[in-house]
Amino acid sequence: MISFILSILTQVLPFMPLAIGISTSYNLLRATDMSLDGSFVLGAVVFAKLLTLGCPPFLSAFVALLGGALVGVFVSFIQRGGHIDSLLAGVLVVFILTSLNLIILGRPNVNLSSLNTLFSSGFSKSQWCGWFQVTLACLSVCFFSLLFMSSRAGLLMRSLGDNPRLLGRLGYPLELIRSLGFSFTNLLAASSGIITSQIVGYADISMGLGMTLTGICAILLGQQITRVFITTPVVRTGTDFLACLIGVFVYFLGLNFLLRLDIDPLYLKMSLGLLLIFFLRTANMSKSGAA
Amino acid sequence: MVNKNIQSILSVNNLSYKISSSSGFILKDVSFDVFPRDFLILLGSNGSGKSSLLKFIDKRLNSPKNTVKFEGVDVNSISTKKYSLKVKTLTQNCDDSLFPHLTLFENFNLYARNSLGSFENNIKKRDFLAKYLNDFNPELSRKLDQEVDHLSGGEKQMFALGMTLLQPPDLLLLDEHTSALDPRTADNNMKMTLSLIKKHGITCILTTHNLHMAEEYGNRIAVLQRGQILQFVHEGQKHQFTKEQMYQLFY
Ligand SMILES: Nc1ncnc2c1ncn2[C@@H]1O[C@H](COP(=O)(O)OP(=O)(O)OP(=O)(O)O)[C@@H](O)[C@H]1O
Ligand SMILES: [Mg+2]
């Protein structure tokens, strides 16, 4: 049982930064940013490529994060002036990134297990030590994003999602704030990609497929659960974070449970999609019901 | 009579507006001046073009060159940022001027950007806001950490008024901002609005289809019908408005 929970935790941890990114764009910026799929892979790919070129792990990670942030700036730029809506902009960027990622990596996947990564010093000592490093990395990303979201920059991002017209009329630089928001979420996605590639031991250009949808599914699930015991959220960012954590955990719990039941993975995506439709419907219904 | 020597704060010259060439005019050859400290009422029935006119004045709609001038300058050549500090609008839909899913305190934080430096810390800021809102509605000062969306309609509109006048504009446009409220709440809001207008010496344009309101508040009334200004009623001339004339206008 404990090993079952632990194995779930090892899946939850690297997913958390991405989940926070998705939650931020979905709940706060009010945009379904599909480009996170692409940034996730971009993070992994850039990181892996630089490692194979002999770059030190920290520098590689830094450049990969920067790459994620740039994707955000690009997504935001496409939407400028409202000529292309956020959903389409994201899909377009993923489309572009699928080929860009392949160009960067040079081949469909790269094995990292023989290379010196951020966590290889830990894992070379013991399994526990390695996982400790992974946990530390994930938690610090989460911590810094929480800090960022509760700062004034976070407030501006939330206000952008809430009433962009008014924000513009009050004289705030809309485009700058939008870029900031999308850079932040795409950077989080890239950091998830970086961490994941080191845990699974390879970077693969198709590893991000459907991640954003999965994330939204998990987050909506988490929100439904948190709504049961937090009726009047005091700290919005904190509640959103909690919903993220619970949702992702429950999602992976369910997933692993299904896999244990020997359900053919063939049916997995299909059932997941149907589940997502169900959650989206109930979430929107409870929203309009409350209004 | 209006003293022509005073420079007008706003002048509208031959403003016409139609959606397409085949449709009728929404506004037709509208011209008028507003002078400092004026309280101008736009009186007209539903669909007469009041809201459209205000949209041209606060730049929500783009006006043809030189048809709308603020302090003698074509509004198209004033930056939106600068203009939005000078001309502010309250509409019936107060969500236009608020962030509905942020708390009152967060709304205040976004509105109070320019005076942010004058607060030593968050506690002082909260104190200030609580005191400030207390004059508007004591309920509000107890709800600083509630989302705007959870306020009642009356509280929301009062809060919108408070935020809009946090940094008083030169020209305030009121587009039936109390019409969705019950009579007593509307009256409270109107009283507060008037006292602030007086206190800060704000010039004001108010739209209404209510003759009593027009007579009570305005020093000038412009009667709008099907996009045209039918007549101007200046202070002291109000009684020339007969019931028959009003009947013609509205029925
Ligand atoms: N964007 C638009 N497209 C088509 N018609 C419009 C548009 N904007 C305004 N109109 C029309 O212009 C006319 C005037 O509208 P407006 O909102 O200015 O009236 P109003 O005097 O404010 O009315 P009310 O008292 O109901 O608020 C209406 O007949 C309306 O249908
Ligand atoms: Mg109107």
Side-chain angles (χ1 to χ4, degrees), chain B residues 17 19 26 44-53 175-176 209:
Chain B
Y17 176 47
I19 298 293
I26 292 172
S45 56
N46 289 126
S48 54
K50 306 180 295 286
S51 300
S52 304
L53 182 52
D175 193 0
E176 307 188 72
H209 47 244

Side-chain angles (χ1 to χ4, degrees), chain A residues 30 152 155-156 158-159 162-163 166-173 233 236, chain B residues 80-81 84 95-102 106 109-111 113 116 147:
Chain A
R30 307 270 164 84
R152 188 160 175 89
L155 176 62
L156 287 174
R158 278 186 293 153
S159 59
D162 209 22
N163 193 344
L166 175 59
L167 198 65
R169 259 194 286 135
L170 292 178
Y172 289 91
R236 262 305 278 279
Chain B
T80 309
K81 189 174 168 184
S84 62
D95 279 348
D96 288 346
S97 24
L98 295 172
F99 296 98
H101 297 99
L102 302 188
E106 287 170 332
N109 265 326
L110 290 162
Y111 262 97
R113 168 159 95 136
L116 211 68
E147 276 182 29

Side-chain angles (χ1 to χ4, degrees), chain B residues 63-83:
Chain B
S63 54
K65 204 164 177 244
N66 283 330
T67 49
V68 182
K69 288 183 180 173
F70 184 79
E71 289 174 341
V73 182
D74 182 13
V75 290
N76 293 304
S77 55
I78 308 175
S79 80
T80 309
K81 189 174 168 184
K82 210 165 139 192
Y83 198 60

